[in-house]
Structure formats: structure tokens, C-alpha cells
Amino acid sequence: VASIHKVDISIDAQTHYHKKATEIYVILEAEPDAQIELDGERYPVEPMTTIYIRPGCRHRAVGKMKIINVSIPVFDPKDEWFD
């Protein structure tokens, strides 16, 4: 039904989206200037910030951070799309 994994982000991620998956990011650690970009808008993050990412939302992490990523349904690399 869902998958969960820890991700260490050391460089800015590439903007992408999912057609089927909903993701929840839980920020564990983040540099002071770290941000999450959702549909072109950037939001600052800090430890224990939680981000809800619905299908179709273009998103990426900006800056160094460690996150827990919950994917519903289970993460499928075939559902990762780039413009």
C-alpha cells in the first residue's frame, strides 16, 4: 500500500512529478537555507517540517537535507516524470 525510505539529498534535486503517487516528506535534517520547491514556489524547511505532495505537483528539494519519504502507493520508478 505504501513505501517508506530515508533519502540523503546532497545536491539540488531535478524537478519531477508523479502521475499516480502521493508523497509525504518528513524533514529530519536540513541546512539553514534548504527549501522544497512545489509547482515553482519555494518553501523553507527545518527538522520535522512535513510536506504533502499530491500527484501532478512538480517538486524538488533545494539544498542539503535528510528526509523520510513516504510514497502512496509503493514507490515505482516508472511513475517519475521530468518535463
Side-chain angles (χ1 to χ4, degrees):
V1 174
S3 62
I4 184 170
H5 57 276
K6 181 181 169 205
V7 181
D8 292 328
I9 300 167
S10 59
I11 58 173
D12 293 352
Q14 186 176 356
T15 301
H16 65 285
Y17 65 99
H18 309 280
K19 293 181 180 180
K20 298 178 183 175
T22 295
E23 291 184 306
I24 300 170
Y25 287 6
V26 179
I27 310 302
L28 301 175
E29 298 176 19
E31 289 190 337
D33 59 345
Q35 300 174 327
I36 294 290
E37 186 175 289
L38 304 171
D39 287 333
E41 297 268 338
R42 289 191 179 186
Y43 302 91
V45 296
E46 59 186 34
M48 297 313 295
T49 300
T50 303
I51 309 293
Y52 176 82
I53 305 169
R54 67 193 177 306
C57 177
R58 274 112 175 117
H59 59 282
R60 71 182 184 124
V62 179
K64 293 183 180 182
M65 63 186 82
K66 292 182 182 182
I67 70 166
I68 295 292
N69 181 345
V70 180
S71 178
I72 306 161
V74 171
F75 177 75
D76 178 357
K78 294 177 188 170
D79 186 34
E80 193 166 39
W81 302 89
F82 302 90
D83 291 328

